[in-house]
Amino acid sequence: YTCGCNDIPEGDCDCDGNQLDALYVCGGSCWEDPDFDGVCDFTCGEDSIPHQGHMYPTVAIGNQCWFAESCRYLPEVRPMSALNHWEARGYVPGYDGEDVSEAMATEYYVERGAQYNKSAVEEWELCPSGWHVGSSSELIELANATGGLAYAGGALKDSVDWNGTDDFGFKMKRATGSYGWVSLHTSNGSATMFRFTNDTDVHTAGRYRQEIAGARCLRDQD
C-alpha cells in the first residue's frame, strides 16, 4: 500500500518513501490483518514462517520482508559432482551422497541451508504461499536500502560467520570456508545470481544454469 491508495487521501500521512502497512501505519512492519480487527497477524522481523517442516525467521528491511536465512527445502539431494543444466537438483556443499537425511544432518546444511541449480529454483516450492525467491531488481532494492551496491555486502553479511557487520539482521553467510564469495539465485533471468564477496560490495552476475547457489524468499507485496 502507498499513501493515497485504499481510500486514504493523499496527504493524510507522510510516508517519506515508505509504504502503509496492513494497519495503515506509514512505514510500519505489520504485513497481515486479514480480519481487519486492528490486531496484526504477522509482524515482519518478529514472527517466523513455517515451510516444509522448518521455521524461518524474518527480517524487515525498507519496504521488504525477507527470510533471515537461506532456503532449506530439500526433496532430494545429489553429489556435488553431478551438476546438471535442466534437471532440478538440490545440493549440500561438502556432502557427496544422495541421502536427504544425511545431507540435512551436515554442519553446512544446519548452518547455511541448501543450494540449488536454476531449474530447482524455477520448479520447486522453495518458498511458502505469499512468498517468492527475490528477483535481481528486488535484491538491488535491498542493496539500495542498506547502503547501496558498493556497501550493502558489508551491512548484510553475517558478523560471526563472515566479515560483515550484519546491521539489519539479514545474516548472509559465506558458502564454504574456502570461497571468497557466495551467490543467491534470483527468480528472473536464465541464470542471474546476486553475488556477495569478501569486499563490501554486492553485484549481479550471469552464470551457467547448472551452477549452484542459495536462495532467499521475499514476501509478496500488494
Side-chain angles (χ1 to χ4, degrees):
Y1 306 112
T2 57
C3 287
C5 299
N6 303 295
D7 300 322
I8 297 181
E10 188 73 40
D12 276 13
C13 62
D14 181 7
C15 283
D16 291 328
N18 293 315
Q19 294 181 325
L20 293 173
D21 70 3
L23 299 181
Y24 301 104
V25 175
C26 289
S29 57
C30 180
W31 283 71
E32 283 188 5
D33 182 25
D35 52 7
F36 301 102
D37 64 353
V39 178
C40 188
D41 295 298
F42 174 74
T43 300
C44 186
E46 296 181 11
D47 295 333
S48 296
I49 295 294
H51 183 55
Q52 305 289 358
H54 183 74
M55 292 295 293
Y56 290 92
T58 60
V59 57
I61 302 177
N63 292 322
Q64 298 176 323
C65 182
W66 290 90
F67 277 6
E69 60 183 37
S70 295
C71 295
R72 296 172 177 272
Y73 181 49
L74 196 65
E76 61 180 62
V77 64
R78 302 300 291 270
M80 293 289 292
S81 59
L83 299 180
N84 186 278
H85 282 273
W86 303 111
E87 180 182 327
R89 292 185 176 181
Y91 303 86
V92 175
Y95 178 73
D96 289 322
E98 297 187 12
D99 187 298
V100 172
S101 296
E102 288 181 355
M104 293 174 69
T106 63
E107 181 180 357
Y108 185 98
Y109 179 88
V110 171
E111 294 294 326
R112 297 171 175 82
Q115 296 211 344
Y116 311 94
N117 66 2
K118 187 64 176 183
S119 294
V121 173
E122 293 170 343
E123 298 174 21
W124 289 356
E125 295 182 358
L126 302 185
C127 302
S129 176
W131 298 72
H132 64 279
V133 174
S135 68
S136 57
S137 62
E138 288 168 331
L139 282 159
I140 290 173
E141 180 181 344
L142 170 68
N144 289 336
T146 55
L149 292 172
Y151 301 103
L156 293 171
K157 287 186 293 185
D158 191 85
S159 59
V160 176
D161 180 80
W162 208 351
N163 62 349
T165 54
D166 194 29
D167 297 332
F168 300 89
F170 194 74
K171 300 187 182 304
M172 190 66 199
K173 297 186 176 183
R174 67 189 309 163
T176 69
S178 60
Y179 285 3
W181 49 266
V182 62
S183 296
L184 287 175
H185 271 297
T186 66
S187 57
N188 64 308
S190 62
T192 304
M193 297 182 185
F194 203 63
R195 175 160 291 180
F196 294 76
T197 71
N198 277 333
D199 296 324
T200 62
D201 68 326
V202 288
H203 62 277
T204 55
R207 311 299 298 171
Y208 296 108
R209 288 185 62 89
Q210 76 268 25
E211 293 194 46
I212 63 173
R216 288 283 183 117
C217 295
L218 172 66
R219 185 85 173 188
D220 296 347
Q221 293 189 3
D222 295 330

